[in-house]
Amino acid sequence: MKVYNLICEHDHRFEGWFSSEEDFKSQNEAHQIGCPVCESHAIKKLPSAPHLSLSGMQAAKSEVEQVQKQFLQMVRKIVANTEDVGERFAEEARRIHYNEAPDRAIRGVASAQEFAALSEEGIDVLPLPISDALKQPLQ
C-alpha cells in the first residue's frame, strides 16, 4: 500500500492510498481522484522526503491542517442546519426576504448575476462554494 500526500490546483492538501505507483498514475490520468474540498481533478503528488528534518515547518503544517479542519467542520455544520433549495435559491431568498415564505436558513445555487441582483435588493447572501462531497456523511 502506497500513501501519498496530494495537492489540488487550489492548494488543498490531502492524503491518498493506492496499491502501487502505477495505480496512482492510472487513476490520476483517468481523473478518478478528486479533491475532498473542491472536487478538482487536477491533482499532483507532493514530493516526500522522510529523510529531511522539517521541524520548523511542522508548526506551519499543523496550523494549515487545523484551519482546514475548522473549515470542514463549519461547512458540515452549515449543510446540517440549512435547507437545500437548489436552483431555486434566488427565488426562495426573495420570498423569505419579502415575508412570502417562512424565515429559515437556506442554501442553494445562484449565478453571479442572481447574486448581484439579490445584493442590489438588499438581500444579504454569502457565496460559499461547497463541494458535493462535503454534503454527504463521512464514512
Side-chain angles (χ1 to χ4, degrees):
M1 186 63 59
K2 301 280 186 182
V3 180
Y4 294 129
N5 290 319
L6 306 174
I7 189 168
C8 77
E9 64 186 323
H10 302 290
D11 293 327
H12 300 130
R13 296 169 187 256
F14 58 100
E15 193 174 84
W17 293 45
F18 303 91
S19 60
S20 65
E21 171 72 16
E22 293 76 29
D23 184 33
F24 164 75
K25 286 181 181 177
S26 68
Q27 286 187 38
N28 201 28
E29 288 170 2
H31 300 289
Q32 294 175 330
I33 305 170
C35 173
V37 176
C38 67
E39 295 184 339
S40 169
H41 293 284
I43 306 298
K44 293 189 293 189
K45 183 172 69 168
L46 291 170
S48 60
H51 61 282
L52 295 177
S53 174
L54 302 174
S55 60
M57 295 187 68
Q58 286 304 101
K61 180 180 176 186
S62 178
E63 283 183 36
V64 169
E65 289 172 349
Q66 185 64 28
V67 168
Q68 236 178 4
K69 179 180 176 183
Q70 290 173 344
F71 174 76
L72 291 174
Q73 288 173 341
M74 177 198 66
V75 168
R76 287 195 176 99
K77 186 173 183 178
I78 289 170
V79 168
N81 293 296
T82 57
E83 178 186 339
D84 187 0
V85 295
E87 300 287 334
R88 299 183 350 261
F89 179 80
E91 173 190 340
E92 198 63 22
R94 281 187 182 93
R95 290 183 64 220
I96 292 169
H97 180 75
Y98 294 113
N99 297 317
E100 297 170 358
D103 189 17
R104 65 198 188 282
I106 61 171
R107 63 184 156 81
V109 179
S111 68
Q113 293 82 7
E114 289 172 320
F115 176 78
L118 289 169
S119 295
E120 287 174 11
E121 289 180 51
I123 301 171
D124 293 328
V125 292
L126 174 68
L128 181 64
I130 300 176
S131 155
D132 285 338
L134 293 175
K135 296 176 187 174
Q136 306 302 319
L138 291 178
Q139 300 297 339

